[in-house]
Amino acid sequence: MSPNPGFRTASSAPDGAVGCRLLLVRHAKAVPKDLPIDDFDRPLSERGKADAPRTGRWLADSGFTCDLVLCSPARRTRETWQLAAPALEDPPPVVYDDRLYNAAPSMLVTVLAERGTGLSSLVLVGHNAGIHELAAGLCGSGPPDLLERVRAGFPTSGVVVVDIPGGWERLSPGSGTVAALWSPAD
């Protein structure tokens, strides 16, 4: 599906509220959990190092823009964004927020609402299971094939683009529309 980089404005949002766009990025493939490395410090695997730049290229080619990146401070999420960002013509600023490390969806929503004030679009680079649960929970509408894929799983290096008509303060289950989805297997 070809993404529509256009942004919902007050005139196009169904309830008249200015909307926002959330780009969820799952970190690239990391080294196995059974290695003698603290989970927080696990680096990307060779596959992850190859896939993360592809994520950046997809973001650049899609035409989606972003005001700010919110990223877990874990090594694998930082490396994912550091390898993806060079593909963007004008990479947005990045905030590493400790609360995003292996966070539950409720914490992700809290951080998005706090950090998103006044911004029209955010990238969130995070971890499963929380980022998949957030994507599946937010996406209440959209093309049926994309909704099915969102609910089925969130692959490493994948991207789910969600439009939120009511703005960051109105993030709630089912409030979003899946606008696009990409994974390295596409």
Side-chain angles (χ1 to χ4, degrees), residues 61-115:
D61 292 346
S62 72
F64 293 118
T65 59
C66 177
D67 299 318
L68 181 69
V69 175
L70 299 173
C71 187
S72 163
R75 182 174 176 182
R76 59 194 178 273
T77 47
R78 286 182 289 121
E79 287 181 349
T80 297
W81 186 251
Q82 289 163 356
L83 290 168
L88 304 175
E89 185 174 317
D90 187 19
V94 181
V95 172
Y96 298 98
D97 191 313
D98 290 338
R99 297 173 294 172
L100 298 176
Y101 173 63
N102 283 335
S106 59
M107 179 54 69
L108 298 175
V109 167
T110 296
V111 174
L112 289 166
E114 286 176 10
R115 300 274 190 177

Side-chain angles (χ1 to χ4, degrees), residues 12-23:
S12 65
D15 62 1
V18 174
C20 56
R21 175 165 279 159
L22 175 60
L23 291 86

Side-chain angles (χ1 to χ4, degrees), residues 5-184:
F7 177 72
R8 289 182 191 268
T9 63
S11 61
S12 65
D15 62 1
V18 174
C20 56
R21 175 165 279 159
L22 175 60
L23 291 86
L24 297 168
V25 176
R26 182 176 173 200
H27 68 75
K29 185 78 172 166
V31 299
K33 292 179 183 181
D34 60 355
L35 293 179
I37 301 171
D38 183 65
D39 183 67
F40 187 86
D41 296 321
R42 284 193 305 131
L44 295 182
S45 67
E46 289 306 311
R47 184 178 120 199
K49 290 175 186 176
D51 284 347
R54 293 178 60 211
T55 301
R57 286 192 296 278
W58 183 85
L59 289 169
D61 292 346
S62 72
F64 293 118
T65 59
C66 177
D67 299 318
L68 181 69
V69 175
L70 299 173
C71 187
S72 163
R75 182 174 176 182
R76 59 194 178 273
T77 47
R78 286 182 289 121
E79 287 181 349
T80 297
W81 186 251
Q82 289 163 356
L83 290 168
L88 304 175
E89 185 174 317
D90 187 19
V94 181
V95 172
Y96 298 98
D97 191 313
D98 290 338
R99 297 173 294 172
L100 298 176
Y101 173 63
N102 283 335
S106 59
M107 179 54 69
L108 298 175
V109 167
T110 296
V111 174
L112 289 166
E114 286 176 10
R115 300 274 190 177
T117 302
L119 303 177
S120 62
S121 61
L122 293 171
V123 169
L124 173 62
V125 184
H127 309 266
N128 260 2
I131 199 163
H132 177 237
E133 292 170 2
L134 178 64
L138 282 178
C139 294
S141 62
D145 60 320
L146 293 183
L147 284 169
E148 186 177 319
R149 285 183 63 196
V150 167
R151 292 179 183 127
F154 203 142
T156 55
S157 296
V159 182
V160 175
V161 181
V162 185
D163 288 333
I164 313 292
W168 302 116
E169 63 280 353
R170 299 187 68 195
L171 282 172
S172 61
S175 65
T177 300
V178 62
L181 185 146
W182 177 87
S183 77

